[in-house]
């Protein structure tokens, strides 16, 4: 196999050997692209899955834990649940900051309402290089504008978050977006197939060429060639997302869908395959029935496009007219593109011929790797233990001159001028944090507080982290991040739940 092609789809020669062994033949171009997307770090968690399984994920309030569905679910009583998730859109934001951040918001919103929950809040956790560099200022302003532009248009408040600056993030920012949703426990939807014969209905925006190889792009190491990767960045439309949100919530209330899955990384491929895997079935997809906004698209492009604002509905054949009526009410285009099968295969049909056919389990069971721990370099060890570089705390004292007027230390002035200490109002004043009228405590506090209308309950939400501490001591730094987030919640009177 050509090494260049393997790199393009994100596979190593070792992994291609595994494909040949498991499949018993050479995959064609479409099949190879599908495998590469779902075996990418972004979709397959090849290096992180063994570590993530070590995290505590059960408890009396946990309804759905990590890895089971699109988002986690915890009970808050009175028949209500909170649905929550955080994910990154780092590489797209490094290449095209506005759209990268905007579609990061769009994707996390869909992860929430695909479970039948109404998104009630967005938070963000951002990292950039020093703003003295023009490129970093461009990335910073673009990301902040993308988050506000998408969230404000959809009508979901951005109520909190954090921003930090460090040279480690120059040219490669971290853009993490969290969404919190609210739902009745008895109205939760699952992203899975029900039974053979159920229909796959694609609804929302038409499919284009934006975002192809987005999953493998997100798993790669960025370099000087990033400008050439702009086609891998999706383009968002928050107004279509708003229609999709309301339509899917009405669909959840109707009880019609068997399952609902958003189209994020790896597009139709991941959405259909993951739903089939959870249901223990196969799927057959006719790419000729997928609405497109560009002419001449190949099955490969259709199956791997990551065009935004699209959802996959699994419904019983007899319910198709009712499902279609709800989408028509909201002015959304939809098409039945396939069906659930009993054979455990994902089959792609184009022009009446089978264009690709793979076992679902092959796609959803990528190889995993055990990360090899290495000692920290000596200079880091010295930095971790050497406190001599810290300023003398007496420098921050405010001496008084003979007239009785305080003299402000130059060190204090420089500290207050640091963007890591300065007010972040420049960022959060661009966000609408009062839309939906649930926000009791908004941005700028230790944690945001949101009322749950119709009840006497409220929820508190926060994001926090410390990259420098995690760099110096990953285990201890992560523990400190959890503890700090917990203290933020305690400061507004709420015990940590999840």
């Amino acid at each position: 196999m050509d090494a260049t092609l393997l790199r393009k789809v994100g596979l190593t020669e070792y992994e291609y050997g595994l494909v040949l062994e498991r499949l018993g033949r050479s995959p064609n171009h479409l099949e190879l692209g599908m495998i590469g997307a779902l075996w990418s770090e972004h979709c397959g968690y090849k290096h992180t899955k063994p570590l993530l399984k070590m995290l505590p994920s059960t408890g009396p309030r946990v309804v759905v834990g990590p890895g089971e569905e699109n988002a986690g679910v915890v009970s808050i009583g009175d028949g209500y649940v909170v649905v929550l998730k955080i994910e990154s859109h780092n590489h797209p934001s490094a290449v095209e900051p506005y759209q990268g951040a905007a579609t990061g918001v769009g994707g996390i919103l869909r992860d929430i309402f695909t479970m039948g929950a109404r998104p009630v809040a967005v938070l963000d956790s951002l990292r950039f290089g020093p703003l003295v560099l023009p490129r970093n200022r461009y990335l910073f302003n673009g990301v902040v504008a993308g988050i506000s532009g998408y969230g404000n248009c959809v009508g979901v408040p951005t109520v909190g978050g954090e921003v930090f600056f460090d040279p480690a993030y120059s040219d490669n920012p971290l853009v993490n977006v969290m969404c919190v949703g609210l739902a009745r426990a008895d109205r939760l939807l699952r992203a899975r197939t029900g039974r053979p014969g159920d229909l796959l209905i694609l609804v929302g925006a038409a499919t284009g060429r934006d975002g192809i190889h987005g999953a493998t792009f997100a798993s790669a190491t960025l370099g000087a060639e990033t400008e050439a990767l702009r086609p891998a960045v999706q383009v968002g439309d928050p107004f279509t997302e708003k229609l999709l949100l309301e339509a899917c919530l009405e669909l959840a209330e109707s009880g019609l869908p068997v399952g609902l899955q958003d189209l994020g990384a790896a597009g139709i491929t991941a959405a259909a395959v993951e739903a089939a895997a959870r249901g223990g079935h196969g799927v057959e997809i006719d790419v000729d029935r997928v609405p497109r906004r560009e002419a001449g698209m190949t099955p490969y492009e259709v199956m791997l496009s990551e065009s935004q604002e699209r959802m996959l509905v699994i419904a019983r054949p007899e319910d198709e007219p009712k499902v279609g009526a709800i989408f028509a009410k909201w002015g959304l285009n939809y098409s039945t593109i396939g069906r659930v099968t009993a054979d455990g295969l994902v089959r792609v049909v184009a022009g009446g011929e089978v264009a690709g056919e793979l076992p679902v389990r092959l796609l959803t069971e990528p190889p995993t790797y055990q990360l090899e721990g290495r000692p920290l370099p000596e200079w880091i060890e010295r930095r971790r233990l050497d406190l001599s570089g810290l300023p003398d705390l007496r420098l921050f004292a405010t001496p008084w001159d003979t007239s009785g007027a305080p003299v402000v230390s130059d060190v204090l002035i420089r500290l207050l001028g640091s963007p890591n200490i300065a007010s972040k109002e420049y960022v959060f004043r661009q966000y609408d944090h009062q839309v939906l009228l649930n926000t009791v405590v908004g941005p700028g506090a230790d944690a945001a507080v949101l009322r749950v209308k119709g009840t006497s309950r409220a929820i508190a939400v926060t994001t926090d982290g410390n990259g420098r501490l995690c760099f110096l001591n990953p285990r201890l730094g992560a523990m400190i991040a959890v503890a700090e987030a917990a203290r933020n919640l305690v400061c507004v009177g709420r015990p940590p739940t999840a």
Side-chain angles (χ1 to χ4, degrees):
M1 171 58 63
D2 180 26
T4 302
L5 179 57
L6 286 181
R7 284 197 301 271
K8 184 177 180 180
V9 299
L11 292 173
T12 65
E13 292 185 8
Y14 165 74
E15 289 166 347
Y16 183 70
L18 288 180
V19 171
L20 297 179
E21 180 182 322
R22 295 184 187 181
L23 192 58
R25 61 175 175 82
S26 298
N28 63 29
H29 183 59
L30 170 61
E31 294 167 337
L32 188 66
M34 294 168 66
I35 295 169
L38 289 192
W39 282 23
S40 67
E41 188 70 52
H42 192 64
C43 291
Y45 299 95
K46 293 183 293 189
H47 291 85
T48 51
K49 188 177 291 184
L51 296 172
L52 294 173
K53 287 182 177 180
M54 298 168 63
L55 297 175
S57 58
T58 60
R61 289 184 179 270
V62 176
V63 178
V64 177
E68 298 179 39
E69 290 288 342
N70 284 287
V73 181
V74 292
S75 171
I76 60 170
D78 293 336
Y80 283 93
V81 293
V82 168
V83 181
L84 66 161
K85 188 176 183 180
I86 185 168
E87 67 180 17
S88 66
H89 228 220
N90 304 333
H91 286 183
S93 300
V95 174
E96 174 47 65
Y98 185 94
Q99 291 296 346
T103 51
V105 174
I108 201 69
L109 290 173
R110 291 194 300 278
D111 280 333
I112 300 305
F113 70 76
T114 193
M115 298 190 70
R118 177 173 289 280
V120 295
V122 167
L123 297 89
D124 49 75
S125 177
L126 310 175
R127 300 288 186 274
F128 302 95
L131 294 180
V132 294
L133 300 178
R135 175 71 180 176
N136 291 334
R137 291 199 299 273
Y138 162 71
L139 294 173
F140 171 64
N141 287 316
V143 166
V144 171
I147 292 172
S148 65
Y150 205 100
N152 293 354
C153 288
V154 174
V156 178
T158 301
V159 299
E162 53 164 354
V163 187
F164 193 80
F165 303 90
D166 189 273
Y169 306 107
S170 282
D171 296 327
N172 192 11
L174 301 189
V175 179
N176 301 286
V177 182
M178 177 182 181
C179 186
V180 179
L182 191 66
R184 297 289 305 183
D186 58 356
R187 289 300 185 190
L188 277 178
L189 289 176
R190 301 300 177 102
R192 59 188 62 189
T193 54
R195 63 190 183 191
D198 286 346
L199 303 180
L200 306 180
I201 302 174
L202 184 64
V203 60
T207 299
R209 289 189 171 95
D210 52 319
I212 295 173
H213 289 302
T216 50
F217 167 51
S219 305
T221 300
L222 289 185
E225 75 284 358
T226 53
E227 285 301 316
L229 297 174
R230 284 183 180 270
V233 179
Q234 307 92 332
V235 178
D237 177 2
F239 302 105
T240 298
E241 180 99 344
K242 173 63 173 176
L243 297 174
L244 201 57
L245 185 159
E246 298 298 341
C248 288
L249 291 180
E250 182 173 336
L251 198 63
E253 283 292 320
S254 72
L256 291 172
V258 173
L260 191 62
Q261 172 70 52
D262 82 296
L263 272 70
I268 294 174
T269 296
V273 168
E274 289 173 3
R278 293 189 185 106
H281 298 114
V283 287
E284 181 174 295
I285 298 167
D286 186 347
V287 294
D288 294 337
R289 304 196 68 176
V290 175
R292 311 175 193 189
R293 64 169 179 261
E294 296 185 48
M297 290 184 68
T298 65
Y300 184 100
E301 293 171 325
V302 172
M303 289 298 295
L304 293 176
S305 167
E306 295 182 14
S307 294
Q308 297 291 286
E309 293 86 39
R310 298 181 298 162
M311 302 287 283
L312 187 69
V313 182
I314 297 97
R316 295 183 177 88
E318 61 269 25
D319 292 333
E320 183 180 10
K322 297 177 184 177
V323 171
I326 291 176
F327 292 142
K329 167 188 172 181
W330 290 98
L332 293 168
N333 296 319
Y334 66 94
S335 176
T336 299
I337 65 168
R339 61 186 179 89
V340 178
T341 63
D343 56 15
L345 301 174
V346 54
R347 186 177 300 108
V348 181
V349 177
E353 302 289 335
V354 176
E357 187 175 82
L358 294 167
V360 167
R361 291 187 61 182
L362 170 68
L363 291 165
T364 58
E365 296 180 2
T368 57
Y369 303 96
Q370 191 68 42
L371 289 169
E372 179 185 351
R374 298 177 182 174
L376 289 170
E378 286 186 12
W379 72 269
I380 295 180
E381 287 289 358
R382 290 197 303 270
R383 178 175 170 182
R384 181 160 63 174
L385 298 173
D386 182 9
L387 303 181
S388 62
L390 292 177
D392 189 331
L393 293 179
R394 289 173 297 180
L395 292 173
F396 306 138
T398 305
W400 299 77
D401 65 16
T402 55
S403 66
V407 178
V408 179
S409 163
D410 289 342
V411 175
L412 179 58
I413 293 294
R414 290 201 303 272
L415 280 172
L416 294 177
S418 165
N420 287 325
I421 296 177
S423 168
K424 304 304 187 295
E425 186 177 355
Y426 168 80
V427 175
F428 63 73
R429 73 183 179 188
Q430 300 184 47
Y431 304 148
D432 186 339
H433 55 269
Q434 288 293 349
V435 63
L436 299 181
L437 299 178
N438 294 321
T439 308
V440 179
V441 177
D446 291 289
V449 179
L450 305 165
R451 67 169 57 88
V452 180
K453 290 175 182 172
T455 75
S456 60
R457 299 183 180 275
I459 56 175
V461 289
T462 187
T463 61
D464 225 317
N466 191 315
R468 288 177 175 176
L469 292 182
C470 290
F471 176 71
L472 293 174
N473 190 319
R475 180 182 176 86
L476 184 59
M479 294 167 67
I480 291 172
V482 173
E484 185 173 354
R487 291 196 303 272
N488 286 342
L489 298 175
V490 170
C491 284
V492 296
R494 300 309 306 157
T497 300

